[in-house]
Amino acid sequence: MPKKESIEVSEAETFASYNEKLKLKYGDNWLGRGKCTGLEFKRWLALRDNLAEIP
């Protein structure tokens, strides 16, 4: 199975803008059934929780 490409996080990225990018790439139910990559999910959680270091 080919490796999925993860969406990168820019320096000015916000939780809302990254969430929108994931919705555009995978559809509204992007979180379900392992559609996103693990790295994308970790980045999404870090932005959601306002962590200083984004994976």
Side-chain angles (χ1 to χ4, degrees):
M1 187 171 169
K3 187 177 177 185
K4 291 182 185 177
E5 291 294 318
S6 296
I7 297 175
E8 294 295 322
V9 177
S10 67
E11 283 189 37
E13 198 78 65
T14 64
F15 172 71
S17 65
Y18 195 69
N19 193 46
E20 193 59 37
K21 284 182 183 178
L22 290 172
K23 282 184 180 181
L24 287 172
K25 184 175 179 182
Y26 299 111
D28 285 336
N29 189 22
W30 66 267
L31 198 51
R33 304 222 167 193
K35 291 182 180 180
C36 67
T37 65
L39 185 56
E40 286 170 335
F41 184 65
K42 287 178 183 177
R43 290 172 175 164
W44 181 81
L45 286 174
L47 286 166
R48 183 195 69 179
D49 298 338
N50 290 321
L51 298 180
E53 195 170 313
I54 308 295

